[in-house]
Amino acid sequence: MSDALAIQMKDLSFSYGSKSILHNFNLSIERGKVYCLVGSSGSGKTTTLRLINGLLTPASGEVVLEGEKLDFSQAEKIRRTMGYSIQGSGLFPHMTLLENLTIIASKQGWSKSEINERVQELCELMDLPYEKSFLSKKPREISGGQQQRVGIARALFMNPKIMLMDEPFSALDPITRSELQKEFLSLQHKLQLTIVLVTHDLSEAFSMADEIVLLNQGKIEQKGKPSNFLLSPASPFVEEFIQSHSPGNLLKEIYLYSVVHTQVYTTEKTGDIYEIKNIESNEVKKFESLEAASDFLKNKNQKAHYWIENQKFLSMQQLGEDKHSEYLVSTNHILDGMSQLLRSKRSAMPVVNDQHRLIGVFSEEGLNAL
């Protein structure tokens, strides 16, 4: 196994009864990176996590952790070297926070001074009060955000190199979730942890992952950097999954005309004269050469001519390039506009109304505004 790999799953197969979940499954996880497992319910995300942790035993294949083959008969011992954080913190409700934090270290025979030192260290790391009055509380007596911090602190207690996380932030409100995600990423960089995180939230995967692994019926449909899923989907399934599960899907009801940039100049040639007109103010400038007209547009930070004739849009021409007739319609949804703009690899695209008149452009600035 490469020195760069923290985890390698080789030809794994696993079934629940007669139902096959994973078959000849292979996955490599690089050390010190965050991998997010995404996919529909039943695709094998949590099963993959549990196989890495030895909570499940495969019918065939092997798991290699930090260069050593996992002995599933000794899985409990291996689990103590990993962090495991789950949805809702996973804290034992009948135990105090201190007991929850120190349960594994106590079983491992740590001394009281070692435990106290580690508790203080983790309270500082996770922004938790290092106070007896706080640590003696039960989980139900603290907020959801604090519960999750304690859950992560417990997962980190034994100084793991690998952290497995199953929907760790999903039960939190959006503001707390975002705050914890950012703090955890900062922590991950500081500790150089290898993270495998299961999530149903694509925005979480895109914001946290070095690599996303999309599972489909127990197989990897695509694995790679988040940007690859948007710009180079490996299959129609990937494209459909990203579109249907993305928070951006909420934009389906918003139309392009709400984000078009209207400070745009059109170009129309009449005889030997090039007429440049601002579609919002109706300001008109006339030039005797295309070069002079182009210089005017450059000074106005416009990167293209939008050619019209009899007030109707004809074509777009990037300065110094050939004309082309690609355009968007004002009643397209924003997602359609985003998709077409990205595919075109252009910085802006013209938007026309139902009478084929130019009403503005949809641009990178419009994307950024979203």
Side-chain angles (χ1 to χ4, degrees):
M1 187 171 97
S2 167
D3 290 341
L5 298 181
I7 304 168
Q8 196 168 21
M9 308 179 80
K10 298 181 178 180
D11 300 321
L12 281 176
S13 293
F14 180 83
S15 300
Y16 284 113
S18 61
K19 184 179 180 181
S20 175
I21 305 299
L22 302 179
H23 182 66
N24 290 337
F25 184 83
N26 292 274
L27 175 64
S28 295
I29 304 291
E30 289 186 50
R31 185 178 292 111
K33 291 190 175 183
V34 178
Y35 285 70
C36 284
L37 306 183
V38 299
S40 302
S41 178
S43 61
K45 304 184 299 296
T46 297
T47 297
T48 300
L49 213 63
R50 291 176 175 173
L51 285 165
I52 294 172
N53 201 33
L55 285 166
L56 298 175
T57 302
S60 60
E62 63 183 32
V63 176
V64 182
L65 302 172
E66 297 291 351
E68 293 188 17
K69 183 178 175 180
L70 172 57
D71 181 353
F72 286 91
S73 67
Q74 301 292 318
E76 185 176 350
K77 186 184 297 184
I78 299 297
R79 282 198 290 274
R80 291 173 182 169
T81 67
M82 289 188 204
Y84 203 108
S85 177
I86 62 174
Q87 180 179 352
S89 78
L91 299 176
F92 299 113
H94 62 286
M95 291 184 177
T96 66
L97 302 181
L98 182 62
E99 289 168 338
N100 268 287
L101 280 171
T102 62
I103 183 171
I104 297 176
S106 298
K107 287 182 177 181
Q108 293 284 81
W110 283 33
S111 69
K112 191 172 182 179
S113 62
E114 287 175 322
I115 287 176
N116 288 339
E117 185 179 338
R118 184 62 173 154
V119 170
Q120 183 175 3
E121 188 178 65
L122 286 169
C123 282
E124 291 174 1
L125 197 63
M126 296 304 301
D127 195 23
L128 292 165
Y130 179 62
E131 299 167 359
K132 185 177 180 180
S133 59
F134 176 77
L135 294 170
S136 62
K137 290 181 178 181
K138 299 289 179 64
R140 66 177 179 274
E141 297 177 283
I142 62 175
S143 70
Q146 284 183 319
Q147 287 181 35
Q148 201 63 54
R149 289 174 191 274
V150 174
I152 293 172
R154 182 178 65 180
L156 291 169
F157 206 95
M158 305 301 290
N159 289 300
K161 295 179 181 178
I162 296 171
M163 276 277 284
L164 307 179
M165 310 183 80
D166 195 351
E167 304 274 11
F169 310 115
S170 61
L172 303 174
D173 65 85
I175 294 174
T176 304
R177 181 166 65 241
S178 177
E179 179 183 294
L180 263 181
Q181 286 168 350
K182 290 175 184 175
E183 288 182 18
F184 187 75
L185 275 183
S186 176
L187 185 66
Q188 186 269 335
H189 290 308
K190 180 179 179 180
L191 301 179
Q192 283 298 292
L193 294 166
T194 302
I195 310 291
V196 186
L197 185 150
V198 167
T199 181
H200 71 279
D201 185 347
L202 267 189
S203 64
E204 181 169 85
F206 273 81
S207 65
M208 294 190 72
D210 293 302
E211 294 219 7
I212 293 175
V213 182
L214 173 57
L215 300 181
N216 178 23
Q217 298 181 345
K219 295 182 179 179
I220 296 175
E221 193 76 25
Q222 185 166 342
K223 173 178 177 285
K225 295 178 180 179
S227 58
N228 291 344
F229 284 78
L230 290 173
L231 302 178
S232 305
S235 67
F237 174 86
V238 176
E239 192 168 4
E240 171 62 25
F241 183 88
I242 296 298
Q243 288 181 0
S244 62
H245 289 75
S246 171
N249 205 38
L250 297 173
L251 299 176
K252 279 186 175 179
E253 301 307 315
I254 301 176
Y255 296 96
L256 271 177
Y257 58 70
S258 63
V259 293
V260 296
H261 176 57
T262 57
Q263 281 294 334
V264 177
Y265 292 87
T266 60
T267 306
E268 185 170 13
K269 188 178 182 184
T270 304
D272 294 329
I273 299 299
Y274 295 88
E275 186 174 281
I276 302 293
K277 182 178 180 180
N278 185 294
I279 64 173
E280 190 168 276
S281 67
N282 289 321
E283 172 194 5
V284 175
K285 298 284 184 181
K286 296 183 178 182
F287 303 92
E288 295 182 353
S289 71
L290 182 60
E291 183 180 2
S294 298
D295 287 341
F296 173 82
L297 293 180
K298 286 179 185 177
N299 289 332
K300 295 293 185 180
N301 295 316
Q302 182 168 310
K303 300 177 181 178
H305 285 280
Y306 299 103
W307 293 93
I308 63 165
E309 186 175 287
N310 296 325
Q311 299 185 334
K312 292 190 175 183
F313 172 77
L314 292 177
S315 61
M316 172 183 176
Q317 182 181 16
Q318 294 281 141
L319 299 182
E321 296 183 8
D322 295 333
K323 295 179 182 179
H324 62 91
S325 57
E326 194 173 7
Y327 60 88
L328 299 168
V329 178
S330 62
T331 51
N332 286 153
H333 293 116
I334 288 176
L335 281 180
D336 298 329
M338 290 169 65
S339 178
Q340 200 167 333
L341 181 63
L342 288 169
R343 282 200 304 268
S344 75
K345 297 182 180 179
R346 300 183 185 279
S347 60
M349 288 189 69
V351 181
V352 302
N353 63 15
D354 56 359
Q355 297 175 324
H356 215 75
R357 293 185 178 184
L358 186 74
I359 65 166
V361 298
F362 183 55
S363 63
E364 290 176 344
E365 287 77 16
L367 277 173
N368 292 336
L370 300 174

